[in-house]
């Protein structure tokens, strides 16, 4: 991602970090913070959809507190 313009280039990369475990409270993946519908749609989604998901991730990260024991 270009820090100067904050734009994710094409093709938009997946935020997946290979830690696939869903948070039961908010329904976010504990690794990438995507929802199940977002994960399912990702492979066929256009770049605008993917950039929209990426735009949501920083705010989600601020609101999610995962238990280390989970």
């Amino acid at each position: 991602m270009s820090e100067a313009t904050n734009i994710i280039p094409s093709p938009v990369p997946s935020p997946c970090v290979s830690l696939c475990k869903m948070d039961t409270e908010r329904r976010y993946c504990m690794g990438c913070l995507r929802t199940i519908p977002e994960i399912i749609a990702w492979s066929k989604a256009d770049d605008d959809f993917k950039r929209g998901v990426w735009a949501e991730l920083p705010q989600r990260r601020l609101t999610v507190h995962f238990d280390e024991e989970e």
Side-chain angles (χ1 to χ4, degrees):
M1 177 167 27
S2 169
E3 291 184 20
T5 59
N6 205 25
I7 296 174
I8 301 172
S10 292
V12 178
S14 170
C16 181
V17 295
S18 298
L19 172 62
C20 304
K21 185 175 179 184
M22 298 306 291
D23 168 75
T24 56
E25 182 181 327
R26 288 182 188 78
R27 309 275 189 223
Y28 294 139
C29 172
M30 294 172 71
C32 66
L33 296 172
R34 292 180 293 172
T35 64
I36 289 174
E38 290 167 346
I39 293 167
I40 292 169
W42 193 266
S43 66
K44 294 183 180 167
D46 63 21
D47 285 350
D48 288 338
F49 173 86
K50 293 176 180 180
R51 286 186 186 101
V53 172
W54 270 103
E56 293 288 325
L57 300 183
Q59 184 60 37
R60 291 178 188 179
R61 191 168 285 111
L62 294 174
T63 65
V64 176
H65 305 285
F66 296 119
D67 240 3
E68 289 184 4
E69 295 179 8
E70 288 187 36

